[in-house]
Amino acid sequence: MMDLAYQDWMSALPEELWDIPLTDLAIPGSHDAMSYCLDINSPLLRSESDYFRLLDGLFYCITRPLILKWATTQNKTIEEQLSMGIRYFDLRVAHKPNDPSSDLYFTHVIYTHLTVLETLVSVLNWLNSHPKEIVILVCSHLEGMDDKCHESFIFCLKRLFGSKLCPRKEPNLSLRSLWASGHQVILSYDSQITARHPELWPAIPYWWANKSTAQDVISYLDWHKDLGRPEGFFIAGLNLTADRSYIAKNPKESLQMMTYKNWECLRKWVEQQIPGSDPKSFNIIAGDFVGSLPLCSVVIPLNHRLLQRSSGQMKKLFKFIKPDSN
């Protein structure tokens, strides 16, 4: 049964947090959010190596099940992820080679069944039913797209989301301000073309460890934390990565098994984190299989630590204010 306890978690936050920028809140995210609908019969991505392309051509019946086992990072639909509380979505967009249509698809090694626009219509419909929830959509990779394709896609995005798009120079990113303006979508577009469109945000930094164990991922994230958080939005990725030698040595395993096996260690680490503007604070925390694993119920409650910190600062302030003896 789907957990809907956090489907409206932003509007349910204490009012004391409504004026804090989204960049200082703890926000749960979905890494490679659309990989639940990969099409096993689609072509390989253009960026895959010639060697892998050759293997795929010769041993298709072996490579394709392996691709699904290791490229699938989510098992819930985007509507389900939204309803469970996910508010950041990693969307990898591409145009298929030799496709005469203008349709765009999501990708991870191969392409998805669902097109980009039909999926984003579903996101829009969900937002219309949840007018106080804000989402951060990151369109990246953008393979096989020329300038004409980019401009056509951006035109569709603007027409689809309209006034819900929050411009990148928005001076106040607090929930209260966004609710007042009707903005519900922060749309990052990982291309230099973004400069021409004030409705689009540039690429958002993603801390990706590229490691296969929870301990290595945590070491990488702690190292980044010691260097200090970037200004604005940024993502700490909990997602594990298996290289091809790991996959070859573990033929019975899958990314889902690897993720589940490491979850408890990652969960304990997340529970120790603090959102906010401090150099060592966190903002968006993204992971794999976010519907099956309780990422939202671990990340969202971290925001209450902002209340505790605020209360502690007030106590310190009052301690130094001496009562008037007259």
Side-chain angles (χ1 to χ4, degrees), residues 92-105:
R92 304 178 182 203
V93 176
H95 185 260
K96 285 182 181 178
N98 305 316
D99 185 352
S101 79
S102 60
D103 289 341
L104 299 175
Y105 295 84

Side-chain angles (χ1 to χ4, degrees), residues 116-127:
V116 172
L117 284 181
E118 67 181 309
T119 301
L120 294 180
V121 167
S122 298
V123 173
L124 175 64
N125 291 336
W126 191 91
L127 289 172

